Amino acid sequence: MSDAEPTVLDLFAVDPIGFGGVILSGPPSLARDRWLAGLAACIGPLRRLPPGIDDARLIGGLDVAATLAAGRPIAAGGLLAEADGGVVVVPMAERIGDGLAGRLAAVLDTGEVVVERDGAAARSPARVALVLLDEGVEEERVPDGLAERISFHVKQDLSSTVPDPAAVERARERLATVGAASDAVLQALCAAAALLGVDSARAVVFALRAARVAAALGGRNVIGDEDAVMAAQLVLAPRATRAPPLPEEQADEPPPPPPSDEAPDDADRDEAPRPDALTEIVLAAVRAALPAQLLAGGATPRSRRRGGVEGGRGAGERRLSWRRGRPTGTRAGTPGGGKRLALAATLAAAAVWQRARRGELVESGPGPVIVRPSDLRVRRFETRTEATVIVVVDASGSAALARLAEAKGAVELLLAQAYVLRTQVALIVFRGSGAEVLLPPTRSLTRARRVLGEMAGGGGTPLAAGLDAARMLAMAVRARGRTPRLVVLTDGRGNVARAPEAGRAQAELDATNAASLVRAAGIAAILIDTAPRPRPATAAFAATMGARYLALPRLDADAVANAAVAHAAAA
């Protein structure tokens, strides 16, 4: 092995299954192809997961031909079992569904696949590692549950150095002789993970494994400080959700003791390092590897939690379909009326009964496959509706003009992302004695700017009218096959009833009734409290509406837009 520091590819090639896998983020490139070729040169051919693979091919199922020949259920292994001991490449990993991500995570945890379906049962070893090709943009990324089980998260800067297969083989042989990590290394990695906001214990385990492999690659039997530093940079830094604190300024340290005429003894010179000395070295190295956005106090994409939507996009509700969408398996049923026959599943269902059915007709010998109506299977698909974000703005006199300006800015930011998030945006304002749909659902930023420029504030707060208008628009959106999401910006101080001549008490009752109707309609909503001093009563009002509550006393357009995007992405 050369004197250069080992790369992710070097480490992963030595112990791919132990590391779980690698996430390669970024668009397709020649560097990525070279990276994969270098890995294949060290560990052998890589298996590739076909897009849209079904469960029968992934984890196995009934071998129809063998079952028909044998007259009893014969299980067939899937791709994961076939790849036992190797590496599986998963293209477009940012778009895989939660179901597939869960199956892959389970295989990484247990190292085996268990098939119990169609009358067949089998258990096969499937100790595999994954290379997840993440080509996502914006909020798209590998599902969190699967990403947590992967040691290395690499972005763009792939090393062009191809590992030496002979050096990799020597490191594998030496790995078993590398001793356990010292207490100082353990403490340093654990402390670094805590200070970097890494809340997964797996990350520390992966970092320790990386340090051991680095020692083996370096021809050492003891994990050194440099191995711990390298492991923290490659494993912990990409997972960091916050920048570690800077070391104390020199000025804050106590003054050095006055010089003494007595020569220091050897014991003082050989003073053992402080327990956190290695931690400080590790943090300093990790800090140099952190992105500028994180050092500036921002959040990384991985630190922002998704709303539970596959891919993190602003998609709407899931709906089952018989005709189009993402395949979700089969079920018993009769083809027709839009339902399509699942031939393989039908034959699999019939295969296990052939011996019994042939015995009813003929004593023995081959014959045609006997299919009964109960064997018929039809395909199922899943589609996801697009979302429409309905922004409901309190434009009354109680809402300061400055806050109204921030609401306008938030709508413009939402529209700027509408094409990426596959959402539409609508705007309702309520002020004076009623509410008005200023902007019907649209993705047109130009149209929105023209309308927003004419939006004015003032007058009373007809909160009930605003919620009624929002509910009616949401129901209309839902009738068109889209998923409505309400984003209500108000201080919750409704003072105008549905009948304007009624008093303030009636206005509060009407607002509570309108909120209850929103909840009864099952419309997902978030209430952003724009009051300078948020009140518990507004939070209770949000609960009545079945809405999430978010207080933003220092309202700004970016915060509102981010909250709306997260709300639109919530399943």
Side-chain angles (χ1 to χ4, degrees):
M1 195 71 191
S2 66
D3 295 335
E5 290 187 357
T7 64
V8 167
L9 179 54
D10 296 327
L11 300 174
F12 185 62
V14 173
D15 186 16
I17 296 176
F19 285 118
V22 181
I23 297 176
L24 300 180
S25 300
S29 65
L30 187 59
R32 194 178 76 178
D33 293 342
R34 281 199 299 265
W35 196 97
L36 293 173
L39 178 62
C42 295
I43 65 172
L46 311 178
R47 296 296 299 264
R48 202 172 186 87
L49 197 72
I53 187 172
D54 57 17
D55 285 351
R57 181 68 190 106
L58 179 70
I59 61 177
L62 190 70
D63 187 331
V64 176
T67 299
L68 291 174
R72 58 184 176 82
I74 303 295
L79 185 147
L80 293 175
E82 295 169 1
D84 180 37
V87 174
V88 177
V89 178
V90 183
M92 295 187 292
E94 76 282 0
R95 296 186 179 180
I96 63 175
D98 293 339
L100 176 56
R103 292 176 185 85
L104 293 176
V107 167
L108 292 179
D109 287 345
T110 64
E112 65 176 9
V113 290
V114 179
V115 179
E116 292 179 347
R117 55 187 301 177
D118 299 330
R123 184 182 297 269
S124 306
R127 296 169 295 108
V128 299
L130 304 177
V131 174
L132 302 167
L133 306 182
D134 181 357
E135 301 171 7
V137 296
E138 299 291 338
E139 295 290 314
E140 285 186 325
R141 67 184 193 224
V142 177
D144 290 346
L146 181 57
E148 187 192 358
R149 290 165 169 80
I150 304 298
S151 293
F152 302 111
H153 301 179
V154 183
K155 294 183 178 179
Q156 300 289 343
D157 50 345
L158 296 176
S159 171
S160 59
T161 304
V162 177
D164 178 8
V168 170
E169 187 59 34
R170 288 195 298 273
R172 288 175 186 158
E173 296 173 354
R174 191 179 297 116
L175 186 59
T177 66
V178 177
S182 65
D183 290 344
V185 170
L186 285 172
Q187 181 179 349
L189 292 178
C190 292
L195 293 172
L196 291 168
V198 179
D199 54 3
S200 170
R202 283 192 179 94
V204 177
V205 174
F206 286 145
L208 284 170
R209 187 182 299 275
R212 290 189 74 239
V213 175
L217 283 168
R220 299 180 293 276
N221 294 330
V222 178
I223 298 175
D225 292 354
E226 67 274 23
D227 300 323
V229 169
M230 181 279 309
Q233 287 179 315
L234 297 183
V235 177
L236 299 183
R239 288 175 160 82
T241 59
R242 60 171 180 260
L246 293 170
E248 296 180 0
E249 296 293 336
Q250 190 69 26
D252 296 333
E253 296 182 356
S260 172
D261 295 337
E262 298 180 359
D265 57 28
D266 293 342
D268 292 337
R269 283 201 301 268
D270 297 334
E271 181 182 0
R274 292 178 300 167
D276 60 347
L278 181 56
T279 302
E280 293 177 357
I281 295 173
V282 168
L283 288 176
V286 170
R287 191 180 292 108
L290 293 179
Q293 177 190 3
L294 195 63
L295 293 173
T300 62
R302 179 59 63 184
S303 67
R304 294 194 296 267
R305 298 185 65 83
R306 295 189 311 163
V309 173
E310 296 172 8
R313 286 182 174 272
E317 299 169 342
R318 296 175 178 175
R319 293 183 180 178
L320 292 177
S321 172
W322 298 111
R323 297 185 178 182
R324 62 180 181 274
R326 186 173 63 84
T328 60
T330 62
R331 62 166 300 176
T334 303
K339 300 177 182 178
R340 291 188 285 177
L341 175 68
L343 181 58
T346 298
L347 291 176
V352 297
W353 301 102
Q354 292 307 297
R355 171 173 287 183
R357 290 173 183 174
R358 287 175 182 172
E360 297 174 4
L361 301 177
V362 295
E363 291 298 330
S364 60
V369 178
I370 303 172
V371 179
R372 299 279 174 79
S374 59
D375 300 327
L376 295 177
R377 297 292 186 271
V378 292
R379 298 182 183 277
R380 289 195 306 176
F381 302 90
E382 181 184 89
T383 61
R384 188 179 290 278
T385 63
E386 295 186 346
T388 296
V389 179
I390 303 173
V391 182
V392 187
V393 179
D394 180 353
S396 66
S398 61
L401 292 179
R403 295 176 179 276
L404 203 55
E406 297 298 338
K408 295 178 181 177
V411 172
E412 291 192 11
L413 289 173
L414 285 173
L415 282 168
Q417 304 176 60
Y419 282 102
V420 176
L421 299 175
R422 299 197 298 268
T423 60
Q424 291 185 341
V425 180
L427 176 64
I428 294 176
V429 296
F430 56 94
R431 62 180 183 273
S433 59
E436 180 183 5
V437 180
L438 275 188
L439 185 68
T442 182
R443 289 178 178 168
S444 172
L445 183 57
T446 303
R447 180 183 180 186
R449 283 175 173 165
R450 184 171 63 251
V451 173
L452 293 173
E454 300 170 355
M455 189 171 77
T461 309
L463 183 54
L467 294 182
D468 287 342
R471 176 173 54 82
M472 294 176 64
L473 180 58
M475 298 300 288
V477 166
R478 180 179 289 171
R480 291 196 290 270
R482 301 182 64 89
T483 302
R485 309 286 193 198
L486 297 188
V487 179
V488 183
L489 282 73
T490 181
D491 57 7
R493 300 173 187 269
N495 56 18
V496 178
R498 287 173 173 141
E501 63 276 10
R504 189 185 188 94
Q506 185 61 41
E508 294 179 354
L509 291 176
D510 287 350
T512 301
N513 176 260
S516 300
L517 291 176
V518 170
R519 180 170 189 163
I523 301 170
I526 180 173
L527 190 151
I528 299 178
D529 191 346
T530 60
R533 295 180 179 178
R535 303 176 305 149
T538 307
F541 183 78
T544 302
M545 194 164 58
R548 289 179 51 220
Y549 174 77
L550 176 64
L552 289 178
R554 295 182 179 179
L555 188 68
D556 68 81
D558 287 329
V560 173
N562 290 337
V565 168
H567 176 56

